[in-house]
Amino acid sequence: MGKRCAKCGKEAGFFKSITFYKIGNEEYCADCGKEEIERRISTIKITTTNNIEGYKVVDYIDIDSAEVVIGTGIFSEVEGNISDLFGARSSGFEEKLAKGKKYAMDKLKYNAMLKGGNAIVGVDLSYTEFDKNRIGIIVSGTVVKIEKS
């Protein structure tokens, strides 16, 4: 008998090769593992303040950060230049920044999940511009374990 997915029960055996991911104390097949990670990171609370109303910090786990670098691309550049010329907003750039911010936040939440945290406090979000039309998004905070007070 081989490994068995904690959610769907899919089993790997001698002739059945399935990729498994260990999350916490359980193992999941690739599909269920992705769903479980998404479920867990969606429950992680995140705030720029040093506390969360109605909760108390019971453990300060670690200071962590996540970095994402996105390219603006030729079409965003052209649209940005035209928008700039007329004093308008550049929706292409805005969409890329929003996606980059989401990726960075999700990455930080994933790191917190791996470390056993269920919240991140004191979050700081920064943007930096690199050469050749690349933008860096850096998000950092303190991974903590919280309980309802």
Side-chain angles (χ1 to χ4, degrees):
M1 189 159 134
K3 293 180 183 182
R4 184 179 296 275
C5 176
K7 185 174 180 182
C8 72
K10 207 181 281 182
E11 186 178 359
F14 187 73
F15 295 107
K16 228 190 215 176
S17 178
I18 299 175
T19 301
F20 279 86
Y21 297 97
K22 187 169 177 70
I23 304 169
N25 294 326
E26 297 178 315
E27 296 198 51
Y28 297 87
C29 68
D31 292 334
C32 293
K34 181 180 178 194
E35 287 176 15
E36 182 64 15
I37 288 169
E38 287 173 0
R39 185 192 69 75
R40 288 185 185 200
I41 69 169
S42 73
T43 65
I44 292 177
K45 297 190 180 312
I46 189 163
T47 181
T48 58
T49 62
N50 61 356
N51 61 2
I52 299 173
E53 194 68 35
Y55 292 85
K56 64 178 179 177
V57 174
V58 293
D59 190 18
Y60 290 88
I61 297 172
D62 197 7
I63 296 170
D64 205 344
S65 66
E67 301 79 20
V68 173
V69 177
I70 56 174
T72 56
I74 186 77
F75 297 113
S76 295
E77 286 292 321
V78 170
E79 184 220 350
N81 288 336
I82 292 170
S83 297
D84 202 27
L85 183 66
F86 294 105
R89 292 173 43 200
S90 172
S91 60
F93 280 133
E94 289 173 357
E95 288 172 14
K96 286 190 181 212
L97 286 174
K99 281 182 184 178
K101 177 182 167 188
K102 182 182 178 350
Y103 293 148
M105 293 289 207
D106 285 350
K107 192 173 173 183
L108 186 63
K109 287 180 177 183
Y110 177 76
N111 293 347
M113 180 201 72
L114 291 178
K115 293 178 178 188
N118 61 355
I120 308 161
V121 297
V123 171
D124 180 58
L125 180 68
S126 300
Y127 296 90
T128 188
E129 187 178 3
F130 297 112
D131 65 338
K132 299 192 181 181
N133 305 324
R134 289 191 182 90
I135 298 169
I137 301 162
I138 302 127
V139 62
S140 61
T142 303
V143 177
V144 296
K145 185 84 168 166
I146 57 172
E147 291 178 351
K148 285 206 178 240
S149 27

